[in-house]
Amino acid sequence: MEKNLEIMPVGRWGLFPDGLPLMIAGPCSAESEVQIMETARRLKALGINVFRAGIWKPRTHPNTFEGVGTKGLKWLQRVKNELGMKICTEVASERHVFDCLKFGVDMVWIGARTTANPFLVQEIADALKDTGIPVLVKNPVNPDLDLWIGALERLNQAGIMKLGVIHRGFSTFEKIRYRNSPEWQIAIELRSRYPEMPFFCDPSHMAGDRKYIRELSQRSLDLGLEGLMIESHCDPTCALSDAGQQLLPEQLGEMMKSLVVRAHDTDSPEYKENIDQLRAQIDVIDESLLSLLGSRMGISRQIGEYKKVNNIAILQTSRWDSILERMIAKGAEYGLPEHFVTVVFNAIHDASVQVQNDILSDE
Ligand code: PEP
Ligand code: MN
């Protein structure tokens, strides 16, 4: 049974400076003390206060760089002590949590592969109990909103109220423009269920390529997400993990300047803000509609080819009548008027018949 979550407003976490977006930046992985200090110093110069670095890295293949491990926490501690930044890293086990506690880590996040595993999430929640450390939960690798919410519930039940989420996109089998598919509608659904929960986007892991980071960051801000976690490295091309998606700190600075941040303050015109967010949601849904219609048309084309090979007529009126009847009934369940459903589906059907006709007449 889904429960309400008790969330402390992010302004009271004592981590982020005033203003939006809330920024977390740093390398994919801690690699050396020099790399950590150099990257942090240059990020600090941009006004970024929360520094990230992976210490234990979940890698797809064995025998690749799996993180420097606990010794890297000493370097993060130096960032905290010498630069006054807040430090955060990914935890995937009870041992990781205990190590973080020893080295004064200010916030942890749960990675996408770990969120998908309730045993580990529970273990981490138990280890974090009573520590007061904020936790950000990345979406699971698969597009399962319940699994994501379940992880939040486990942490919340362990008394963790400094709780937020990071949207990093979802794995797909097909090759798409991005490394991980944004599936914004899932983020929108989560946001509308827990509007008070701080919501970050991780455009780096979503994009998988630094050239897409700006467009994804802007899209997430347009949807009203308030934070960004972005990978930045003092020498990205030499990075030991995720080299293609990390930005130089100065590139990150330039990108941040180019982002249009929509006002969230109470003194901003509330109406405009709401309307912008709703329109951005509509844009996302329209794009999904188009992509679904495209897939439908592809199948229709296959049916056309198949009918042609088997010498079958295109129009099978009785089948169409029963589809339309079913859609009108289904549409009513979604609050859609009969006339509207009829017009939309007849238009779709006409276009389908046209495509199949073209196939038949194409000798
Ligand atoms: C990371 O942030 O370094 C990371 C491994 O991300 P994800 O869990 O989103 O793959
Ligand atoms: Mn990474």
Side-chain angles (χ1 to χ4, degrees):
M1 221 5 236
E2 197 178 308
K3 298 225 189 62
N4 273 340
L5 300 177
E6 221 176 309
I7 308 289
M8 182 189 287
V10 69
R12 285 172 37 208
W13 294 11
L15 290 184
F16 296 96
D18 287 343
L20 291 173
L22 309 173
M23 288 298 303
I24 303 169
C28 178
S29 303
E31 298 166 4
S32 71
E33 189 161 9
V34 171
Q35 169 247 10
I36 284 293
M37 292 312 292
E38 173 68 10
T39 308
R41 192 181 51 72
R42 283 157 64 181
L43 289 170
K44 171 86 184 170
L46 304 173
I48 289 170
N49 199 47
V50 182
F51 184 72
R52 67 149 279 159
I55 296 291
W56 304 279
K57 300 303 298 179
R59 302 306 299 279
T60 302
H61 296 286
N63 311 321
T64 46
F65 174 67
E66 292 190 320
V68 292
T70 310
K71 72 173 182 214
L73 290 171
K74 288 203 189 100
W75 312 334
L76 290 189
Q77 203 169 32
R78 246 192 97 189
V79 169
K80 178 168 171 155
N81 294 339
E82 292 179 24
L83 301 174
M85 295 172 89
K86 305 290 182 184
I87 52 173
C88 64
T89 195
E90 172 177 343
V91 290
S93 70
E94 176 188 80
R95 184 177 68 80
H96 293 166
V97 172
F98 294 150
D99 278 359
C100 286
L101 292 172
K102 269 189 240 152
F103 289 91
V105 168
D106 297 290
M107 176 167 71
V108 295
W109 77 85
I110 296 183
R113 294 156 193 79
T114 308
T115 307
N117 183 336
F119 288 134
L120 287 176
V121 173
Q122 191 58 54
E123 174 183 316
I124 293 166
D126 293 341
L128 285 166
K129 206 175 167 72
D130 303 325
T131 60
I133 292 184
V135 185
L136 302 179
V137 182
K138 288 199 172 194
N139 62 264
V141 278
N142 52 323
D144 183 340
L145 180 57
D146 273 337
L147 201 51
W148 199 358
I149 292 176
L152 294 166
E153 287 169 344
R154 285 177 195 280
L155 291 156
N156 207 221
Q157 275 178 24
I160 295 152
M161 287 187 291
K162 295 177 193 163
L163 198 54
V165 287
I166 306 174
H167 180 35
R168 49 77 85 194
F170 300 92
S171 288
T172 56
F173 180 64
E174 316 87 68
K175 266 225 120 353
I176 54 166
R177 178 180 175 88
Y178 305 123
R179 175 176 174 188
N180 288 294
S181 173
E183 308 292 345
W184 293 111
Q185 72 281 8
I186 296 180
I188 291 167
E189 175 67 28
L190 187 63
R191 156 93 328 164
S192 65
R193 289 204 210 176
Y194 307 108
E196 69 291 358
M197 188 158 54
F199 212 130
F200 290 78
C201 177
D202 170 352
S204 307
H205 290 93
M206 206 179 258
D209 184 325
R210 55 189 140 262
K211 71 174 179 267
Y212 299 132
I213 290 178
R214 207 206 88 83
E215 69 186 42
L216 290 169
S217 301
Q218 186 61 59
R219 172 52 72 86
S220 75
L221 296 180
D222 290 345
L223 288 172
L225 309 196
E226 49 274 279
L228 292 170
M229 175 190 260
I230 298 185
E231 286 188 340
S232 175
H233 189 293
C234 58
D235 188 3
T237 48
C238 295
L240 298 180
S241 58
D242 288 348
Q245 71 191 30
Q246 304 202 58
L247 297 171
L248 279 170
E250 295 68 29
Q251 290 172 325
L252 175 59
E254 284 308 305
M255 190 209 75
M256 282 165 62
K257 274 192 232 150
S258 79
L259 291 176
V260 182
V261 182
R262 319 225 174 252
H264 273 232
D265 312 329
T266 42
D267 59 357
S268 71
E270 204 182 309
Y271 171 77
K272 192 183 169 318
E273 185 196 321
N274 287 339
I275 214 82
D276 283 351
Q277 285 189 25
L278 290 170
R279 284 185 180 142
Q281 293 178 19
I282 289 274
D283 288 348
V284 169
I285 291 173
D286 284 351
E287 279 174 34
S288 311
L289 282 175
L290 282 177
S291 128
L292 283 173
L293 286 173
S295 311
R296 192 189 191 285
M297 202 55 105
I299 294 174
S300 188
R301 225 171 261 125
Q302 283 178 29
I303 293 178
E305 305 280 5
Y306 200 54
K307 281 179 181 166
K308 181 176 178 177
V309 172
N310 289 280
N311 216 11
I312 307 279
I314 289 171
L315 263 183
Q316 274 140 6
T317 339
S318 61
R319 169 162 159 77
W320 180 246
D321 287 347
S322 72
I323 291 181
L324 192 56
E325 213 171 78
R326 197 158 46 82
M327 288 301 119
I328 288 170
K330 270 251 167 275
E333 286 173 29
Y334 290 104
L336 301 171
E338 175 173 344
H339 174 68
F340 175 66
V341 175
T342 310
V343 169
V344 169
F345 275 90
N346 275 333
I348 291 173
H349 185 236
D350 287 352
S352 255
V353 169
Q354 186 60 50
V355 162
Q356 296 190 5
N357 257 328
D358 292 349
I359 288 170
L360 260 200
S361 56
D362 188 15
E363 282 309 326

